[in-house]
Every structure is written in C-alpha cells, then in structure tokens.
Amino acid sequence: MSHAALLFPMLADPGLYTYAPDTRRATVDALVERFAALERGAPEGEGEDEIWLNWWLQRLDTGEPIGTLQATVLPDTHAWIGYSLVPAAWGHGFASEAVAW
C-alpha cells in the first residue's frame, strides 16, 4: 500500500469525481483502506466469481504517477475496465495505452 501516499495528491483532485461514481478520500489512510478493499475483491455475496485486478499508472518517461486502472474479470472471461487519470494526463493517449495493455 506504499503507493497510496504517492497517489493521494493526484487522487485528491475534485475534478476526477465529476462524472465518476466514486468518493474522494480525505486522508492517505482512507485511501489505503480503499485500496485494501479493492485488493480483497468483491464483497461476500456480490460477484464472488469475479476477479478484481488493480494497477496504478505512471508515465514511462518521467515515472510520474498519473492514475489508476481497474479490471473486473467475469467468469466468461469478459472484463469491465475502468480508469482514472489526473487531468494533466487527459488527451495524451495514456488511458488508451493502458486499456490496450
């Protein structure tokens, strides 16, 4: 969870939550708790047959953190993919590259 402190300033940007059904975490500890919940996977009784995968994204040229990528893999091997990028990374193809990966 050491990456939570690294990602916290980026994920604190209120602009990330305008259209996304997520809540901005007020502290690094709250973000650590959120990441821990995501690592555990679906709550009991809800999608227990799903596999939850989570990554943080960084620029290859600078190493700067730019967002997160999540995939929920369903039993039929289809997946739901979601991502959140810092506004400075919008429009540069980073999300497309991450999703293609």
Side-chain angles (χ1 to χ4, degrees), residues 17-100:
Y17 306 93
T18 303
Y19 304 105
D22 198 3
T23 303
R24 183 173 61 152
R25 301 312 187 273
T27 65
V28 173
D29 287 340
L31 187 58
V32 167
E33 288 176 22
R34 173 65 175 156
F35 287 165
L38 291 172
E39 282 184 3
R40 285 190 296 274
E44 189 173 325
E46 298 179 33
E48 293 172 343
D49 53 352
E50 300 171 347
I51 298 171
W52 287 16
L53 304 170
N54 303 279
W55 299 272
W56 65 281
L57 305 173
Q58 70 184 79
R59 291 182 59 126
L60 292 176
D61 58 346
T62 66
E64 175 186 10
I66 58 171
T68 60
L69 175 70
Q70 300 171 334
T72 302
V73 183
L74 306 174
D76 65 3
T77 70
H78 286 87
W80 292 99
I81 297 176
Y83 53 84
S84 182
L85 298 179
V86 64
W90 297 352
H92 298 284
F94 296 126
S96 295
E97 184 176 342
V99 168

